[in-house]
Amino acid sequence: MQPRLSSAKALLSLVVMGVLWGLQFSMLKFAALSEAGIIDILMLMLVFLSLVYSAYVLYVGDSLRFPASWIPFLLITALLGYVLPLGITLLVAPYIAVGTISLIACLAPIVTVALALAFRTEQVSASRVFAIVLGLVSTLLILLPELQLPGLGALGWMVVALGIALVYGIEPVYVHARWPAAMTSPQLIAGEAIAAAVLLLPFFLLQGNPLGLLSLGRDALWPLAVYVLAGIVETLLYFHLIRTTGGVFVSFGTFVSLFAGIAWGMLLFSEKHAMHVWLAVVFLIGALFLCSRSQTREARAGDDGVAG
């Protein structure tokens, strides 16, 4: 049985995790603004992550041998957890503020709840339905002002960016439903990164210059290095908190990452946001709070059932 963290240490770990997650969007924007191609950036990132996470698996005593029956699961989670969301982020980052990307990405829990209700894997409740409504209002507050700008502003890129929330929202539903019984969390972390690198490899080779990674400039390499380091610490904190505090507490990291992403954008890119963006943040906080409260009630009900 894992020892429980003190409340102060758990809160500090949660804040650090959220701040690092928010920082990653800024690093992706820096990389996207460099002269490096999206596939090159992704490939180098996934190679680094695969090596580090594989070393972690061996360090904790797990195996890097993945049965054939796990391969489809790992490929799908790699697509949902790495290739699609990171690719979309790099694609839209030059055209959208980091704070806006962070806000859109934080809609993922709302997508997860909506899918869970649609497929009846969770009970319909007023709080969950209201959370989805608030999430939709937040989305509209971000998108609709762009209709008033010449050429519709960045509306097209924002619609594309909604794919980040969509795939991040689908991933936990799929992982929960299909996680192989014998697979450990470290194996999932490493296997997902390795599978993502394998998925991307054919597209990388088709570019015709595999050695191009060796010539990436500093403007691409330093944000990738920070992204990878932040991702490693964030992932380890996430699973550590899951083991020591439970999933409900970890879900509050989304609140931290939302404000962290906006703050990093303001600090590193001097971003300023209009009133409708801050209003969207308020609605999203309400939606996330309702989702978290719903999770808390379920956890308490489960504890009562076990105790009974």
Side-chain angles (χ1 to χ4, degrees):
M1 184 176 179
Q2 292 290 334
R4 297 188 67 83
L5 287 177
S6 68
S7 58
K9 288 182 178 179
L11 182 59
L12 178 60
S13 298
L14 186 78
V15 170
V16 172
M17 183 188 74
V19 168
L20 291 177
W21 192 61
L23 175 63
Q24 286 179 296
F25 289 109
S26 288
M27 294 302 103
L28 288 174
K29 187 177 183 75
F30 274 122
L33 292 173
S34 71
E35 296 182 357
I38 291 177
I39 293 179
D40 288 338
I41 294 172
L42 274 177
M43 194 71 224
L44 186 59
M45 183 188 308
L46 291 171
V47 168
F48 280 144
L49 288 173
S50 297
L51 292 173
V52 173
Y53 290 150
S54 295
Y56 175 67
V57 168
L58 297 176
Y59 172 76
V60 298
D62 276 344
S63 172
L64 282 173
R65 292 183 178 180
F66 304 120
S69 59
W70 292 5
I71 302 304
F73 171 81
L74 289 174
L75 290 175
I76 293 173
T77 56
L79 196 64
L80 296 174
Y82 280 114
V83 179
L84 288 177
L86 295 184
I88 294 172
T89 302
L90 289 168
L91 180 65
V92 304
Y95 311 101
I96 303 178
V98 170
T100 303
I101 295 175
S102 300
L103 196 159
I104 291 174
C106 286
L107 288 167
I110 313 302
V111 175
T112 300
V113 170
L115 290 172
L117 295 181
F119 288 99
R120 299 182 180 179
T121 59
E122 293 187 12
Q123 293 181 347
V124 177
S125 66
S127 61
R128 285 171 173 161
V129 172
F130 195 40
I132 294 171
V133 171
L134 291 179
L136 290 174
V137 172
S138 179
T139 304
L140 291 175
L141 283 170
I142 292 296
L143 298 181
L144 291 182
E146 300 298 316
L147 293 172
Q148 302 175 8
L149 299 177
L152 301 182
L155 179 63
W157 292 113
M158 288 185 177
V159 171
V160 174
L162 286 173
I164 302 170
L166 180 62
V167 291
Y168 274 147
I170 292 173
E171 185 192 19
V173 177
Y174 176 78
V175 169
H176 178 73
R178 301 294 183 184
W179 189 318
M183 180 184 288
T184 66
S185 295
Q187 287 176 321
L188 173 58
I189 296 172
E192 187 178 12
I194 294 170
V198 171
L199 277 175
L200 196 64
L201 184 59
F203 300 95
F204 173 70
L205 294 176
L206 284 173
Q207 291 187 136
N209 185 24
L211 297 180
L213 288 182
L214 301 178
S215 60
L216 289 181
R218 291 182 179 179
D219 54 344
L221 289 176
W222 78 261
L224 286 183
V226 174
Y227 178 94
V228 170
L229 290 173
I232 292 167
V233 176
E234 174 216 334
T235 301
L236 294 177
L237 283 174
Y238 174 81
F239 282 103
H240 181 59
L241 285 170
I242 285 286
R243 292 196 304 268
T244 55
T245 65
V248 174
F249 181 77
V250 174
S251 68
F252 284 94
T254 308
F255 292 89
V256 181
S257 65
L258 171 61
F259 284 104
I262 294 173
W264 282 119
M266 296 173 70
L267 178 64
L268 298 175
F269 296 97
S270 301
E271 294 178 353
K272 296 181 180 179
H273 299 287
M275 183 58 66
H276 70 271
V277 174
W278 294 112
L279 190 57
V281 169
V282 172
F283 277 99
L284 181 56
I285 289 172
L288 295 173
F289 173 76
L290 289 173
C291 290
S292 299
R293 189 176 70 168
S294 181
Q295 284 183 291
T296 303
R297 286 177 176 175
E298 279 195 354
R300 286 175 180 172
D303 291 341
D304 292 342
V306 171

